[in-house]
Amino acid sequence: MSQYLSELCTLLIDDLYGELSSQVFSTLARVGRQPLSGLLRYSNLSARHFKHGLVVLIQQHLALHYTSDTDGLTYFEANWEHAYNLVRYGKIEEMVQDRYGEQAAGIISNLLLLGHTKVSDLTEAYGVANNKSNLETGTNRVNGDGLSRGTGVIDVDDFSNGDELRNGAGSSSATKKPENHFRSRGQLHTLLYKLLSVGWIVPVRASHFWPQADLHNEAAAFVISSSFENKIPKGPRKVKEYAQKLNKQKRKDRDDALELPHNSAVIGTKRPTMSTAFQPRKRIRLNGVNGTNGHSDLGDTQDDDVSLDGEIVVRVNHEKISVAIRTEQLTLLASRYLGQTTSLVYRTLLRLLEERIPRCFENFPVENEDGELIEDPPVIVTSQEVAKVIDTNIDLADGLQQDITTNGINGDAHDEFEDLDGAHLNGHASDNLGTRTRMVDQHLRLLCEDPRKFAHWMGSRGTSEWKVEFASLAETLIQNEIEKTVTARHDRMGARLIRVLHSKGKLDEKQVSTFSMTPPKTIRSILTSMQESGYVETQEVPKDASRQPSRTMYFWFYDQERCRQLLLTDTYKAMARILQRIKVERETVQAVIDKAERTDVIGHEDEYLSKTERDVLRQWSQTEEKLLLQLSRQDDLVTILKDFIGPL
């Protein structure tokens, strides 16, 4: 973990969960993998306080742990990926609400607050459980009171793998129902099942709390014992075979951990076919499940679709969140080059793909015998599927190359688009599915013909089929962000030189001048300035063994991965400074904020606060909003540079 990333994650945890948890995380980030006794040696906290903070981090998936079979010790390390994701909580709720509604956003909000929780505890918290009973866990977890301040009393002396799934799984009751409460238990379980089926939430397994190194070791031990007779493979052929089987096993372990346990859900016989990303599924009345009168071993399902096993522990899936953010970023890019209407069609296509794509990139690629990567079958969406779910209020005729509201080139008064029955259109998007399909298909062809290749045509079996090459688009997004940064620091000429070097490779000064159509004297200072900033580099190629400067060629080149890492580090630093600035600005008006947050003042600000105090609060609110907006923009940059294409 880099210095600025560690600082940023510590500040985020301090802001959300308090100073105690941030100090424990800082120790984990600084020391690395250690047992509890080793961590206590490097911390200035008492054992009791350190354990309390560690429980909070484990509950929120901010700390990973694994119990070794050799020495019996439990080792802990920081989970910096989940720690960074704390900055996206507001963005996550907005995306879920946009796709699945306010109730789904409420569930996601509670899961983000709790870290992970049992379905039964969530059902109890919403007040729709069939049988009210006292559960074994704490009483105020649904509001985060027992966790966010680091005041829990759970002891971690006897931690074993998965203990937190039983002892720290969430809430048992609440003093009042959360917002967006449900009418019935089945309605809540139906929505939970929808979120599980599309991957926004996932069941929690003990392996989700293991560090990547231990997951690798477990998979390696299984492959060696099952395929190589407990002997470490030797020789190029066996080593290659071992690497292939290891990646397959790691991929299988990961995918199996995301599947619902067998017989964990009783599902109604009728299932709607409409995509859940665009229209909520209707509630279906059932007379019973599996021949019963509305009851099963999993609970009462009368009048509802689904009943989930209450013992399932669930959490938010951050891999799926990255896929959703990628959809929004690609939509913005398409809007920039192809217009608003075409970008809305593209967003619909991406959201259909989003439901079928679990993550942005594959962590465990598998190669064939020739050393080529085995790619998963492409996910394909048809134009008709897009036309079925796209908002009917969108004027699909807008943005097309030929305006269907005017006469054609040859003077014909007929429109370009006709429905399947041959009916004539008057320039407005018809509700007919066939017409919408043809118009959607034309927008998708615009996306396909664009130089950035937003979409790829795969064929036509009744209707056009489309796929999206996300890897190449991710590189395009990265390159665009790098060019924006270079333009801001070195003007447009710097971005032009970056594009030339990115396209042509290594060039000497004369070649750079030729391709950029700029005199060498003009580009020399800009290249030197960009070299000092780290955006371009030079390579010396001597003509002979003397290595004299006069007998040496100097080639300029651009390394996208190096620039990507440089920008990522600068962005982490900027985000940390923004959080520090928010904290400093807040401290200057803390007395007024504390007064305004008093229960007797809330709702009576005009009566208890002076005009000066109200002005101070208004200025603070504006300052905080500007800083948080900048923080969100910086997070968008991190997402593009890191989450769409894989680790550096």
Side-chain angles (χ1 to χ4, degrees):
M1 186 186 301
S2 67
Q3 172 190 350
Y4 297 116
L5 178 57
S6 175
E7 183 180 1
L8 172 61
C9 293
T10 302
L11 290 169
L12 288 169
I13 293 173
D14 179 72
D15 185 57
L16 289 177
Y17 303 112
E19 184 179 358
L20 176 62
S21 299
S22 67
Q23 288 187 21
V24 175
F25 184 86
S26 178
T27 303
L28 288 169
R30 184 178 70 256
V31 175
R33 182 186 178 94
Q34 288 285 338
L36 184 59
S37 58
L39 294 172
L40 290 173
R41 284 198 303 269
Y42 291 98
S43 175
N44 56 359
L45 298 173
S46 65
R48 180 174 178 272
H49 287 92
F50 192 92
K51 292 176 183 179
H52 289 171
L54 190 59
V55 166
V56 177
L57 296 182
I58 292 175
Q59 172 72 24
Q60 301 296 330
H61 294 257
L62 303 175
L64 303 172
H65 63 87
Y66 180 81
T67 302
S68 174
D69 295 332
T70 56
D71 53 16
L73 294 176
T74 300
Y75 292 87
F76 300 89
E77 65 179 67
N79 186 1
W80 67 268
E81 291 181 344
H82 277 254
Y84 175 81
N85 287 330
L86 296 176
V87 78
R88 297 177 179 167
Y89 277 12
K91 190 179 299 182
I92 294 170
E93 293 177 26
E94 290 179 2
M95 289 189 297
V96 175
Q97 182 170 349
D98 183 45
R99 286 163 173 78
Y100 305 105
E102 189 175 355
Q103 289 183 326
I107 291 176
I108 294 295
S109 177
N110 284 326
L111 289 177
L112 289 172
L113 179 66
L114 295 168
H116 61 270
T117 187
K118 287 183 180 179
V119 170
S120 60
D121 294 337
L122 198 60
T123 304
E124 183 81 14
Y126 275 103
V128 292
N130 290 331
N131 298 317
K132 305 289 183 180
S133 61
N134 294 326
L135 301 179
E136 297 177 357
T137 53
T139 59
N140 293 321
R141 296 276 177 83
V142 71
N143 297 321
D145 295 340
L147 294 176
S148 62
R149 297 175 179 82
T151 58
V153 293
I154 301 175
D155 198 344
V156 295
D157 283 335
D158 298 323
F159 255 4
S160 60
N161 297 337
D163 281 349
E164 68 286 342
L165 303 186
R166 298 186 296 272
N167 297 328
S171 67
S172 61
S173 63
T175 56
K176 59 181 179 180
K177 296 179 183 179
E179 296 180 359
N180 311 319
H181 60 274
F182 295 82
R183 295 188 304 270
S184 66
R185 176 178 180 269
Q187 185 190 15
L188 171 62
H189 285 202
T190 298
L191 188 50
L192 282 172
Y193 182 79
K194 290 176 184 177
L195 294 174
L196 282 165
S197 64
V198 296
W200 281 84
I201 61 176
V202 292
V204 178
R205 306 292 179 87
S207 59
H208 290 161
F209 295 88
W210 295 356
Q212 288 297 325
D214 297 301
L215 291 171
H216 172 85
N217 293 338
E218 290 283 343
F222 177 81
V223 170
I224 291 175
S225 62
S226 61
S227 301
F228 296 95
E229 299 179 351
N230 290 322
K231 296 180 181 179
I232 299 177
K234 297 181 180 179
R237 182 177 178 182
K238 285 194 173 183
V239 168
K240 187 176 182 179
E241 180 184 359
Y242 166 73
Q244 294 175 355
K245 291 187 175 182
L246 178 60
N247 273 354
K248 288 182 180 179
Q249 183 62 37
K250 289 163 72 174
R251 182 186 293 195
K252 180 179 182 299
D253 292 342
R254 179 200 62 196
D255 294 341
D256 290 346
L258 298 179
E259 295 291 334
L260 274 174
H262 185 58
N263 293 330
S264 61
V266 174
I267 307 174
T269 56
K270 297 180 180 180
R271 303 303 302 167
T273 58
M274 181 64 71
S275 173
T276 59
F278 304 93
Q279 181 175 343
R281 294 177 175 176
K282 294 183 179 179
R283 189 163 161 266
I284 302 175
R285 295 184 64 88
L286 301 178
N287 294 324
V289 180
N290 299 330
T292 65
N293 295 323
H295 295 274
S296 70
D297 294 338
L298 299 177
D300 187 7
T301 59
Q302 190 172 1
D303 296 338
D304 294 290
D305 285 335
V306 178
S307 179
L308 294 174
D309 184 359
E311 294 300 311
I312 299 175
V313 182
V314 294
R315 68 171 174 86
V316 175
N317 181 15
H318 290 284
E319 287 185 330
K320 193 69 173 185
I321 290 163
S322 297
V323 177
I325 296 176
R326 182 178 64 183
T327 295
E328 304 304 323
Q329 292 296 329
L330 290 177
T331 301
L332 290 174
L333 186 66
S335 177
R336 174 184 173 186
Y337 291 104
L338 296 172
Q340 182 70 16
T341 304
T342 304
S343 69
L344 292 176
V345 175
Y346 192 45
R347 183 179 67 178
T348 308
L349 170 68
L350 292 175
R351 287 193 179 182
L352 286 171
L353 293 171
E354 180 183 302
E355 291 189 349
R356 311 172 194 178
I357 297 175
R359 58 191 59 84
C360 288
F361 58 91
E362 180 56 63
N363 291 308
F364 312 116
V366 180
E367 297 180 353
N368 57 20
E369 296 179 355
D370 298 330
E372 300 176 352
L373 291 179
I374 301 177
E375 297 183 359
D376 295 330
V379 182
I380 297 175
V381 171
T382 65
S383 301
Q384 190 175 56
E385 289 177 312
V386 177
K388 284 181 179 179
V389 298
I390 196 169
D391 188 355
T392 55
N393 294 323
I394 298 175
D395 183 9
L396 294 176
D398 184 24
L400 295 179
Q401 292 180 348
Q402 181 173 352
D403 189 353
I404 67 174
T405 64
T406 59
N407 293 337
I409 297 176
N410 296 324
D412 296 332
H414 298 286
D415 295 324
E416 174 73 17
F417 304 101
E418 295 180 354
D419 60 13
L420 295 180
D421 298 327
H424 182 68
L425 297 178
N426 59 1
H428 298 284
S430 172
D431 290 336
N432 183 276
L433 178 60
T435 301
R436 293 203 310 272
T437 301
R438 295 181 63 183
M439 300 177 80
V440 163
D441 191 69
Q442 290 230 2
H443 284 285
L444 293 176
R445 290 183 185 277
L446 291 177
L447 293 163
C448 179
E449 294 168 359
D450 187 86
R452 282 152 287 276
K453 296 295 181 183
F454 288 106
H456 290 262
W457 185 72
M458 294 297 293
S460 179
R461 289 180 291 181
T463 180
S464 297
E465 298 175 335
W466 304 87
K467 72 169 185 176
V468 177
E469 293 288 350
F470 289 106
S472 60
L473 288 173
E475 293 183 359
T476 299
L477 286 170
I478 292 173
Q479 184 63 24
N480 282 348
E481 293 299 332
I482 294 175
E483 290 179 8
K484 286 180 184 178
T485 305
V486 172
T487 302
R489 298 183 180 182
H490 303 282
D491 298 327
R492 297 180 62 182
M493 179 55 66
R496 180 192 294 184
L497 298 179
I498 286 289
R499 285 193 291 269
V500 168
L501 293 174
H502 182 56
S503 173
K504 303 298 182 180
K506 296 180 180 179
L507 301 173
D508 61 20
E509 187 179 275
K510 184 178 180 180
Q511 290 173 318
V512 174
S513 174
T514 301
F515 285 116
S516 63
M517 296 183 291
T518 309
K521 185 177 180 180
T522 302
I523 67 171
R524 189 174 299 126
S525 60
I526 299 177
L527 286 172
T528 303
S529 178
M530 288 197 297
Q531 183 187 23
E532 294 174 353
S533 301
Y535 295 110
V536 297
E537 296 292 334
T538 57
Q539 180 179 2
E540 301 179 6
V541 180
K543 295 181 179 179
D544 51 38
S546 64
R547 295 184 176 272
Q548 296 294 327
S550 59
R551 300 289 299 169
T552 302
M553 296 182 294
Y554 298 91
F555 292 97
W556 294 95
F557 68 94
Y558 159 76
D559 186 353
Q560 188 185 73
E561 289 300 302
R562 175 181 170 84
C563 292
R564 179 183 166 200
Q565 180 63 65
L566 181 66
L567 281 184
L568 198 56
T569 302
D570 290 345
T571 307
Y572 287 145
K573 182 179 179 180
M575 295 177 73
R577 298 297 176 264
I578 290 173
L579 290 175
Q580 290 174 340
R581 178 65 181 272
I582 292 175
K583 185 176 181 180
V584 171
E585 293 286 345
R586 184 183 180 90
E587 288 176 352
T588 60
V589 295
Q590 188 63 50
V592 181
I593 293 174
D594 291 341
K595 182 178 179 180
E597 291 178 349
R598 283 166 35 188
T599 56
D600 59 329
V601 176
I602 295 177
H604 305 279
E605 287 81 2
D606 293 339
E607 180 180 354
Y608 291 99
L609 297 179
S610 64
K611 183 179 184 302
T612 302
E613 289 174 331
R614 293 196 299 270
D615 291 340
V616 168
L617 287 176
R618 183 172 59 255
Q619 292 175 2
W620 153 246
S621 177
Q622 294 173 354
T623 301
E624 184 183 36
E625 182 179 358
K626 292 177 181 177
L627 291 172
L628 290 177
L629 178 60
Q630 184 62 29
L631 187 68
S632 177
R633 291 173 176 172
Q634 297 292 324
D635 173 56
D636 291 338
L637 179 57
V638 171
T639 308
I640 292 172
L641 295 174
K642 179 179 70 69
D643 293 346
F644 294 169
I645 202 171
L648 294 169

